[in-house]
Structures are given as C-alpha cells and as structure tokens.
Amino acid sequence: MHMKRIIKLICLTLIISVVCVLMSSCISNRNKPDYLLMGAKDNGFVPSYRAYYAITGDTIKKIPQFKYENYIYKDDHYKSFNEEFSNYDVVADSPDPSEWNYELMYYDNEPYDTDALIKHLQDMNVSYMGNVYILVLWFDEYVIVEVTNLDDTNTVLGETFGLFRNGKMIDLPAGTDLSSIRTYYRYEQDAK
C-alpha cells in the first residue's frame, strides 16, 4: 500500500513538472518581441550609429545590442525579412501636407498610398516648408515614416519619425531615431 502511494506521488510530480515546463515555454515565448529592428549609419567603414528596437503590439522600445543579438542568434524563431518602401521628394510651399506635391523617386516599384501618407504626416504634426524628403517603410501591419526637412545644400534642418500600426500612431519613446533601419526580424512561432 505504501509503494502505491509513492508511485502515485512520483507520477503526480512528473505530470506537474511537465505542465510547468510547457507553461513556462508558452510564457517565455509571449515575452519575446514580435519584431526586431536595427538602425545603422556608417562614416565610410567606421560605424557611427547603431540602434536596436523591439516591437510588440503597439509598443516599441530600444534594447541593448547584446539582447538584440541574443534574440536573433540564439533563437531559431526569428527570421529576417525585407520591408516595402517608397521615397518621396517634396517642395513644400505650405506647412499643410495635404497641399504638398509628392514626387515618387524613379526607382521605387510601388508607391505608398498618398492619402494614408498625408494622414500619417498630419498625425505626426509635420509642418515643414521648403525641401522635404519622405521615406515610407512598411511591413505586415506596421508603417514607419521618416520625414527630413533639408536646405538647398541638403543640410538637415529637422527630422521627424512616426510608427503606425493599422493606421494608428504608436507613441515613440523620447530619443527614438528610426532612420536608416537596415535589418528586420520577425518572430515566427512555427520556425525551426
């Protein structure tokens, strides 16, 4: 009788352990970002700027390089992908983006929806005048808008960034610089 009790206790302990491991695995996967982005600029061969971002749902946060690298190099679930993009040159005679003439750069395959872009610019409170360069990057339900105001010698006078999910602007933490995003990784649950 005593032996049956010990066997039942061992079986119950094993079942509880398996359930805990499975729950722990599910919880740890939920804590992983949906997307990882890296922004980078170089002065010749010398890196001058690096920024690493994690996006989960309606939240973006800056993460340290080691954390970014741990995700992409140690987790088989992160897969790189390419974004879609459009570049626009604008000569803004008015601070109202709805009055601007958007000239798509010649090498872009597919333009971003101009009405959606105007709404994004209005949500970002962009009111630049003069020469304006706009880069729109999109993937899945996300859109990154980078707007740069330039003088006649292409010196940057101002820069504004916006991140949107399904058309809704996401609050960016102070100091977020979404320029020069070079790499994109997506968390894929079924990846091996």
Side-chain angles (χ1 to χ4, degrees):
M1 188 91 135
H2 185 61
M3 189 61 136
K4 281 186 177 181
R5 235 174 152 188
I6 292 174
I7 291 174
K8 282 183 183 180
L9 187 58
I10 291 172
C11 288
L12 183 61
T13 304
L14 286 172
I15 290 171
I16 290 172
S17 297
V18 168
V19 169
C20 287
V21 167
L22 290 174
M23 286 178 59
S24 167
S25 173
C26 291
I27 289 169
S28 69
N29 284 346
R30 271 190 251 140
N31 291 334
K32 294 183 180 177
D34 299 329
Y35 300 90
L36 298 167
L37 310 175
M38 181 188 79
K41 294 178 188 172
D42 299 324
N43 288 331
F45 294 111
V46 179
S48 64
Y49 162 76
R50 296 288 185 267
Y52 306 90
Y53 294 99
I55 298 175
T56 302
D58 292 338
T59 305
I60 183 171
K61 66 180 181 177
K62 195 170 187 177
I63 60 173
Q65 179 179 356
F66 78 88
K67 198 169 189 178
Y68 172 86
E69 290 175 352
N70 278 342
Y71 283 131
I72 63 171
Y73 296 127
K74 294 183 179 178
D75 190 326
D76 292 339
H77 291 282
Y78 282 100
K79 303 297 177 194
S80 67
F81 66 95
N82 294 321
E83 83 291 0
E84 299 289 327
F85 67 92
S86 288
N87 294 273
Y88 296 90
D89 277 329
V90 175
V91 177
D93 294 326
S94 158
D96 182 359
S98 67
E99 296 178 9
W100 294 355
N101 181 22
Y102 296 85
E103 183 181 325
L104 184 66
M105 302 296 267
Y106 67 91
Y107 51 81
D108 288 345
N109 293 333
E110 183 178 333
Y112 187 73
D113 181 284
T114 306
D115 292 333
L117 176 57
I118 290 169
K119 178 162 181 356
H120 295 331
L121 296 171
Q122 290 169 336
D123 290 346
M124 294 165 60
N125 294 317
V126 172
S127 58
Y128 293 139
M129 299 256 316
N131 297 324
V132 179
Y133 169 74
I134 302 170
L135 174 61
V136 184
L137 306 162
W138 66 94
F139 55 94
D140 299 339
E141 68 265 19
Y142 293 93
V143 176
I144 297 172
V145 180
E146 177 184 343
V147 186
T148 307
N149 192 199
L150 304 163
D151 70 8
D152 291 336
T153 62
N154 286 332
T155 301
V156 175
L157 302 174
E159 222 170 12
T160 305
F161 304 99
L163 176 64
F164 298 84
R165 181 179 184 207
N166 294 322
K168 180 184 169 224
M169 190 160 84
I170 295 174
D171 290 331
L172 298 178
T176 301
D177 180 347
L178 295 176
S179 65
S180 304
I181 300 295
R182 282 191 187 171
T183 60
Y184 297 80
Y185 286 87
R186 178 189 298 118
Y187 184 84
E188 296 180 3
Q189 182 65 36
D190 298 329
K192 294 288 181 203

